[in-house]
């Protein structure tokens, strides 16, 4: 599937850059037509984000240890860490494991599912996606276990309804290229849902997310994210932030949760980890890119942060 390229946000908008880095790797998208009674048990999706959008009708979401929640037409549920849930037509309805249900495979990444129960019909769009950037991973870790975006919420009413309408239209028509359109629209749903949470959730106004929005710390974080291999010092980062060295150091540690130079080192190692998993450079090349003159020193730092050596990770991946 071809990639769609967008121009990144300006470097003075570090939070926008983090959202831009949410490059979504769709594992599977499915359009479901469910006639009651029906129940689908969605398994845990490790290291993946799962979403369910209700195009028409309604369904109940069941989470372990929680009361069932009605998800109405035009609403969506995002599970940033792939939490297992049941989606059912009634609160006490039995749920069948997802992979035990038949589906019509349209392509490698898109399928259609039908459950013919004879009752009221619910149409839904589901997807499983992963992220491939360090900042995206950190953002996902800060998101709540379950994120529900309600169509009737003022912040979501316009974009959610219009995007779901487009998905419904494309799915019904099944024209050439329809799969690509549907998966792109599904990606937009996820990013918009995260943006809505960032704008409205009190917990999104603290810590690292607040530092990204901060007029001074945000500039320093942006240059670290954009140019992690630069020879940054605490003095240079403080000048970029327009602060004294001591003031910058104290404020960065307080808001981000770790000293600035430790954050820089961890960021470099996180990017190195991605290069080891998905790249072709040798371990030595990755080490030099991460700012280490010695492969052995790189290996020690890497194992201290991730609990395994670069070589072990390369072999496993």
């Amino acid at each position: 599937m071809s990639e769609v390229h967008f121009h990144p946000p300006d470097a003075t908008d570090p939070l926008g850059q983090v959202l831009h880095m949410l490059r979504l790797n769709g594992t599977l998208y499915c359009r479901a037509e469910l006639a009651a009674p029906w129940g689908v048990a969605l398994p845990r999706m490790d290291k993946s984000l799962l979403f369910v959008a209700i195009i028409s009708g309604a369904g109940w979401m069941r989470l372990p240890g929680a009361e069932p929640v009605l998800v109405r037409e035009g609403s969506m549920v995002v599970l940033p860490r792939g939490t297992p849930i049941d989606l059912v037509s009634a609160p006490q309805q039995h749920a069948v494991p997802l992979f035990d249900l038949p589906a019509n495979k349209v392509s490698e990444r898109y399928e259609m599912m039908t459950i013919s129960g004879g009752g009221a019909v619910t149409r839904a769009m589901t997807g499983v996606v992963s992220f491939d950037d360090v900042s995206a991973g950190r953002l996902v870790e800060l998101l709540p276990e379950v994120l529900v975006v309600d169509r009737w919420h003022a912040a979501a009413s316009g974009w959610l309804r219009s995007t779901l309408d487009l998905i419904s239209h494309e799915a019904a028509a099944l024209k050439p290229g329809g799969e690509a359109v549907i998966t792109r629209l599904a990606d937009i749903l996820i990013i918009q849902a995260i943006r809505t949470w960032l704008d409205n959730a009190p917990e999104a106004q603290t810590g690292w997310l607040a530092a990204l929005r901060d007029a001074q710390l945000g500039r320093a974080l942006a240059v670290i994210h954009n140019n992690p291999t630069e020879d940054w010092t605490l003095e240079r980062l403080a000048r970029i932030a327009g602060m004294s060295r001591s003031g910058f150091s104290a404020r960065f540690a307080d808001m981000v949760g770790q000293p600035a130079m430790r954050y820089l080192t961890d960021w470099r190692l996180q990017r190195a980890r991605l290069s080891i998993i998905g790249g072709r450079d040798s371990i030595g090349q990755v080490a030099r890119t991460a700012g280490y003159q010695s492969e052995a020193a790189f290996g020690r730092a890497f194992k201290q942060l991730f609990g395994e050596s670069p070589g072990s990770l390369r072999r496993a991946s």
Side-chain angles (χ1 to χ4, degrees):
M1 189 181 297
S2 61
E3 293 186 2
V4 178
H5 298 280
F6 301 96
H7 294 294
D10 186 85
T12 58
D13 180 17
L15 183 57
Q17 287 183 320
V18 169
L19 288 171
H20 177 72
M21 289 174 181
L22 284 174
R23 294 188 291 272
L24 306 177
N25 297 321
T27 303
L28 180 67
Y29 297 93
C30 176
R31 184 179 187 271
E33 186 162 312
L34 312 165
W38 53 268
V40 181
L42 299 167
R44 177 172 293 281
M45 303 287 186
D46 289 327
K47 298 181 180 179
S48 297
L49 178 150
L50 173 70
F51 77 91
V52 180
I54 305 298
I55 297 172
S56 64
W60 291 84
M61 173 182 68
R62 287 197 308 239
L63 284 160
E67 291 295 317
V69 175
L70 179 63
V71 184
R72 299 174 290 182
E73 175 181 326
S75 300
M76 72 180 295
V77 176
V78 180
L79 303 156
R81 288 176 289 284
T83 305
I85 64 167
D86 293 343
L87 289 171
V88 291
S89 55
Q92 304 304 319
Q93 176 64 37
H94 172 68
V96 178
L98 172 66
F99 298 120
D100 291 347
L101 294 167
N104 177 28
K105 193 171 185 178
V106 179
S107 72
E108 287 299 316
R109 292 192 177 187
Y110 182 59
E111 63 185 30
M112 300 182 70
M113 176 188 295
T114 302
I115 297 179
S116 302
V121 175
T122 295
R123 295 178 177 85
M125 174 78 183
T126 67
V128 180
V129 301
S130 59
F131 306 100
D132 63 356
D133 191 89
V134 179
S135 59
R138 184 160 184 156
L139 172 59
V140 170
E141 288 174 2
L142 295 174
L143 292 173
E145 195 76 13
V146 181
L147 199 165
V148 180
V149 183
D150 197 314
R151 170 190 171 186
W152 282 268
H153 191 289
S157 59
W159 65 261
L160 185 55
R161 180 70 264 173
S162 60
T163 308
L164 288 175
D165 284 345
L166 284 170
I167 288 176
S168 180
H169 174 76
E170 287 293 334
L174 284 179
K175 295 179 180 178
E179 175 204 347
V181 173
I182 289 170
T183 55
R184 298 288 180 237
L185 290 172
D187 292 351
I188 290 171
L189 279 178
I190 295 169
I191 293 173
Q192 286 286 70
I194 293 173
R195 287 177 62 185
T196 299
W197 179 81
L198 287 170
D199 289 341
N200 295 280
E203 58 269 34
Q205 317 305 317
T206 62
W208 179 67
L209 292 172
L212 288 170
R213 290 186 171 97
D214 186 85
Q216 294 174 299
L217 294 186
R219 291 199 295 268
L221 286 165
V223 298
I224 290 174
H225 295 170
N226 291 333
N227 302 290
T229 58
E230 181 77 17
D231 186 22
W232 296 115
T233 64
L234 196 59
E235 289 77 9
R236 289 186 66 194
L237 292 173
R239 283 199 300 272
I240 288 170
M243 301 173 68
S244 69
R245 182 181 183 278
S246 59
F248 170 77
S249 181
R251 189 169 173 186
F252 192 102
D254 180 58
M255 292 190 71
V256 178
Q258 62 183 149
M261 301 313 290
R262 179 72 253 179
Y263 181 90
L264 172 62
T265 298
D266 286 358
W267 191 266
R268 287 170 172 168
L269 289 171
Q270 292 277 8
R271 292 184 68 93
R273 184 176 182 274
L274 292 178
S275 296
I276 290 170
I277 292 173
R280 297 182 178 180
D281 290 344
S282 68
I283 301 297
Q285 289 173 310
V286 174
R288 287 189 292 275
T289 301
Y292 289 83
Q293 299 301 315
S294 161
E295 188 174 330
F298 170 71
R300 286 193 296 271
F302 191 94
K303 189 169 184 178
Q304 184 178 12
L305 183 60
F306 300 114
E308 63 179 329
S309 69
S312 296
L313 178 63
R314 170 62 59 85
R315 289 189 294 272
S317 62

